[in-house]
Amino acid sequence: MSIRTLIRGGLVVTAADELHADVLIEDGRVAALAAHGSAAAEVWTADRTIDASGKYVIPGGVDAHTHMELPFGGTAASDTFETGTRAAAWGGTTTIVDFAVQSVGHALREGLDTWYDKADGNCAIDYAFHMILSDVNEGTLKEMDLLVGEGVTSFKLFMAYPGVFYSDDGQILRAMQRASGNGGLIMMHAENGIAIDVLVEQALARGETDPRHHGEVRKVLLEAEATHRAIQLARVAGSPLYVVHVSAEEAVAELAAARDKGLPVFGETCPQYLFLSTDNLAEPDFQGAKYVCSTPLRPREHQAALWRGLRTNDLQVVSTDHCPFCFRGQKELGRGDFSKIPNGLPGVENRMDLLHQAVLDGHISRRRWIEIACASPARMFGLYPQKGTIAPGSDADIVLYDPHAEQVISAETHHMNVDYSAYEGKRITGRVDTVLSRGELVIDRREFTGRAGHGVYIPRSTCQYL
């Protein structure tokens, strides 16, 4: 029997509104909201009352880009679905959308079933899947239709990583054409991987092996070129397009130009591009390896364009691209050859806090924080209003957030299964206090009370942002 819960006295913040309201939860869903102190709220009774005085009551975060247990470069991401979703909950995220991977020569179904098996019974919060298309052919194109029918409605392709995930323009066009017919959303890693591989080879031949060269060979213009090309292919196919982990001012300009034409083109950026830079990649004694990801960190001057894109809605979503590899034993695989450093950063636990700091720093408004971290990712990937808001009928995925608590981000205190923090020593204001997932307490006043297996798979509808 489900516990009837009442959250009293907080400031409810959604993408659309802010109000001092009480929230009533029944059967894992939001039953009602009413102004605090109103006649309606005063008569509510509950089995459990949570005092939210002095706190924000916000929707649980939706991180639409994670890679738990992802095999990469002879190793695998260090967070399992159990450790990664627990860390997500600590950071105020209550839903992740992870990437199932199709291996070349194998069916989409085989890759998806492998990811179902990895996640089933292990997640502390709810989860869904995108599908990585590594091998576009007649068989996998037909499978796309079947996957959309069962709630896997987005497909990621790569213009990067030749020989691993790479698709050529013809394969990309075919997948986009299929998506335009079945309602799927194509997600694109937009970097010119063929050209980048030439630059990598040339840099290594010159003896340029340090981590900072990872950022130097993956040039801004090659992200912008690939973004432009992906947009034109989507126009030819009549398909919407979502460009993942946008890092460069020139790529934002390509998205903005397409949106100015009224095209269904969308973009995501990540906290690492908003808060870190090539200065981190250049840290001495191989410490820069901690910050190797793709697209790479850019010079700090690109950050203004990313923040501007988030304010103007040329970028709609902030996800993490959480793909952690430990420094010891994993990132160290690239000593003497930056191209062998596993690509990826930890961050699923830090996103909501960093974006709240951005509110305090004047980059975005409080409601825009909730929009880009909760509502827009839910809409983009067919989860709204079940996820991403606080409204009658929505899942009771709710975070009590203390906007005044101060904290220092550190590997010593985080819950991700990785031996460093990308934001080590950063002081921020704001911290998650309590987290409910479908009405169940997962974090109770800074104590983990959740369990592996609470999280369930959520089938998604098609993109609602159109």
Side-chain angles (χ1 to χ4, degrees), residues 80-228:
T80 63
F81 277 92
E82 181 174 356
T83 64
T85 57
R86 187 168 64 232
W90 273 105
T93 287
T94 54
T95 306
I96 62 165
V97 192
D98 204 83
F99 286 85
V101 179
Q102 174 216 10
S103 300
V104 174
H106 295 262
L108 299 185
R109 164 61 51 200
E110 188 177 335
L112 182 58
D113 285 347
T114 297
W115 256 255
Y116 280 140
D117 290 343
K118 287 175 191 265
D120 185 37
N122 292 317
C123 294
I125 58 170
D126 292 349
Y127 61 96
F129 291 124
H130 312 287
M131 189 80 227
I132 288 178
L133 276 154
S134 306
D135 190 0
V136 179
N137 56 55
E138 285 305 314
T140 56
L141 289 169
K142 290 177 182 175
E143 280 192 282
M144 288 174 69
D145 300 346
L146 300 174
L147 265 58
V148 169
E150 68 177 73
V152 179
T153 57
S154 40
F155 303 89
K156 185 178 180 183
L157 291 114
F158 288 78
M159 294 169 140
Y161 303 128
V164 184
F165 293 133
Y166 174 81
S167 295
D168 65 30
D169 287 359
Q171 292 170 314
I172 290 168
L173 180 62
R174 287 179 182 276
M176 287 176 166
Q177 289 171 331
R178 198 77 186 200
S180 74
N182 64 28
L185 178 62
I186 295 297
M187 308 172 74
M188 188 63 67
H189 180 132
E191 286 187 292
N192 188 323
I194 300 294
I196 285 168
D197 274 9
V198 170
L199 297 176
V200 169
E201 181 183 340
Q202 292 171 344
L204 293 174
R206 291 191 297 270
E208 296 170 351
T209 62
D210 291 341
R212 65 185 176 87
H213 297 292
H214 170 82
E216 292 171 4
V217 298
R218 304 187 86 91
K219 293 187 179 296
V220 162
L221 291 177
L222 296 180
E223 181 183 349
E225 181 277 329
T227 302
H228 178 84

Side-chain angles (χ1 to χ4, degrees), residues 226-249:
T227 302
H228 178 84
R229 184 158 37 103
I231 291 167
Q232 305 316 314
L233 290 169
R235 291 178 75 181
V236 170
S239 165
L241 173 70
Y242 178 92
V243 181
V244 297
H245 50 54
V246 175
S247 66
E249 179 176 7

Side-chain angles (χ1 to χ4, degrees), residues 58 62 66 155 160 162 171 232 254 269 272 330 368 426:
I58 62 174
V62 178
T66 67
F155 303 89
Q171 292 170 314
Q232 305 316 314
E254 294 289 346
T269 192
Q272 52 266 37
Q330 291 191 298
R368 185 62 175 161
K426 184 173 179 62

